[in-house]
Amino acid sequence: MRLNPFCMCCAVNKQEKKIRQFQDMDKKTEYMKRVMALLANAGPKDCAPSLSIDIKNLYTEFWGEKAEDYTEIKHDFNCLMLSLEESLEKKIRQSADPLEAALLYARIGNYIDFAAMAEVDRDTVISLIEAENKEPLDPQEYACFRQDLQHAASLVYLTDNCGEIVMDKLVIRILREQYPNLAITVVVRGLPVVNDATMEDAEETGLTSLVRVIGNGDGVGGTWLPGINQETKDLLDSADLILAKGQGNFETLNDCGLNIYYLFLCKCEWFQKLFHAEPLRGMFVNERRVSPDR
């Protein structure tokens, strides 16, 4: 998804809020000039997630402070979701369509996003799960997804956040049962970025014992094609279909033309505008058919 004025302004506003703690007004002004220079000099392949890495590095260099450490938070949310895994799987298997139910729960899990959400708390996660997200998947896209699965030999599953990947694990478990000949590869971030899932999270949640998992070699909050490793590029290019979780994957992959089904919640004003959606509205759209309002 191309860089746009809304996301540029959002990035600037986030940085202004982040440096309010500092007292040196001249230094803060210089920092904001550098942030705006990064945005002004963005390349044609840059997007909001890729530029956020440059801004984070600038912050660390300029202020002499390390970026936030989400290690403990990630562990907490992985443990929370693992504690709910058994009961969620039971509900999924008792539903009329276990695959759709698993996808709906996985979409709820996309709430666990410290980059897009102003605040993420355990109580809200649990309340969203208990509400069972009655809003169904888009029926036409789900029918197309099922049809693609019938003819697919390979599927790449692009994960998003910690905790959320426990729900992804439930989707993959159902997919393996219903489509035993489908080769599934899961892709996590190659480097730590906010609370996104990495190989450490995949191991902690037991995902690596269920399915093949690889890191994409990159620390961008999504799947940014110019930055990921060749193994991931080859997997995406050869996959019959791709299931991509989260806004970050939409931001980095939209317009690539691959057969991608995006599953996410609309968590920011820009996505709500694009899809004419209310906050936390669930989306299930295909790369080749989606036409967001730009």
Side-chain angles (χ1 to χ4, degrees):
M1 188 171 82
R2 295 187 300 274
L3 188 64
N4 61 78
F6 192 99
C7 291
M8 294 173 75
C9 290
C10 181
V12 170
N13 290 334
K14 282 183 177 180
Q15 291 306 304
E16 189 279 323
K17 290 179 181 178
K18 192 170 184 177
I19 65 171
R20 286 182 187 177
Q21 60 178 307
F22 302 118
Q23 300 303 314
D24 190 332
M25 191 61 68
D26 290 338
K27 189 173 182 179
K28 290 198 289 185
T29 300
E30 178 60 28
Y31 175 72
M32 292 307 301
K33 286 181 179 179
R34 294 196 189 185
V35 169
M36 289 185 280
L38 279 176
L39 296 168
N41 293 309
K45 294 184 179 180
D46 276 316
C47 57
S50 67
L51 288 170
S52 69
I53 299 301
D54 296 330
I55 294 173
K56 181 175 72 173
N57 292 337
L58 171 65
Y59 179 91
T60 301
E61 176 187 346
F62 193 91
W63 296 105
E65 292 189 358
K66 292 183 179 180
E68 302 93 336
D69 185 354
Y70 288 89
T71 303
E72 186 175 345
I73 293 174
K74 291 172 73 177
H75 174 70
D76 288 346
F77 276 93
N78 284 339
C79 290
L80 171 65
M81 300 316 300
L82 284 170
S83 71
L84 300 174
E85 180 180 3
E86 185 176 349
S87 62
L88 290 177
E89 183 170 2
K90 183 177 180 180
K91 289 181 179 180
I92 287 168
R93 293 189 180 282
Q94 291 175 342
S95 67
D97 185 341
L99 179 57
E100 182 180 21
L103 289 168
L104 288 173
Y105 277 117
R107 189 170 67 181
I108 293 171
N110 191 232
Y111 167 80
I112 308 172
D113 185 345
F114 284 81
M117 301 295 294
E119 183 179 359
V120 178
D121 64 86
R122 296 164 63 97
D123 291 341
T124 302
V125 173
I126 293 172
S127 66
L128 286 170
I129 291 171
E130 289 177 347
E132 298 186 3
N133 198 4
K134 303 261 191 292
E135 179 188 358
L137 301 177
D138 180 281
Q140 292 183 328
E141 283 305 340
Y142 183 59
C144 290
F145 182 64
R146 278 288 199 178
Q147 186 174 17
D148 282 349
L149 283 169
Q150 290 287 348
H151 303 287
S154 62
L155 179 147
V156 174
Y157 197 117
L158 302 176
T159 62
D160 193 15
N161 300 306
C162 69
E164 178 182 350
I165 62 170
V166 174
M167 296 175 170
D168 297 331
K169 186 170 69 168
L170 295 175
V171 174
I172 292 163
R173 190 170 289 149
I174 299 298
L175 281 170
R176 284 172 57 111
E177 292 174 5
Q178 296 190 1
Y179 302 93
N181 296 320
L182 182 67
I184 302 173
T185 302
V186 173
V187 178
V188 295
R189 307 288 189 260
L191 298 168
V193 51
V194 195
N195 68 304
D196 290 16
T198 60
M199 190 64 72
E200 288 76 14
D201 299 294
E203 292 171 351
E204 181 176 33
T205 57
L207 188 59
T208 52
S209 64
L210 176 66
V211 67
R212 180 191 178 207
V213 182
I214 67 167
N216 69 8
D218 196 24
V220 169
T223 307
W224 189 49
L225 296 176
I228 60 176
N229 57 30
Q230 192 61 47
E231 181 181 17
T232 306
K233 289 179 183 177
D234 292 342
L235 270 173
L236 294 174
D237 287 339
S238 62
D240 293 315
L241 71 157
I242 300 162
L243 183 58
K245 293 291 300 299
Q247 288 185 172
N249 276 320
F250 186 91
E251 289 178 276
T252 49
L253 287 168
N254 182 229
D255 294 330
C256 72
L258 296 171
N259 188 24
I260 304 174
Y261 287 86
Y262 298 103
L263 186 68
F264 58 87
L265 298 178
C266 291
K267 292 170 289 189
C268 73
E269 289 184 45
W270 178 243
F271 270 76
Q272 291 156 29
K273 177 184 180 299
L274 283 180
F275 295 99
H276 303 284
E278 295 185 2
L280 297 183
R281 166 81 182 274
M283 305 301 299
F284 186 60
V285 295
N286 183 271
E287 164 70 18
R288 295 173 177 172
R289 291 180 290 273
V290 65
S291 298
D293 182 4
R294 300 183 191 280

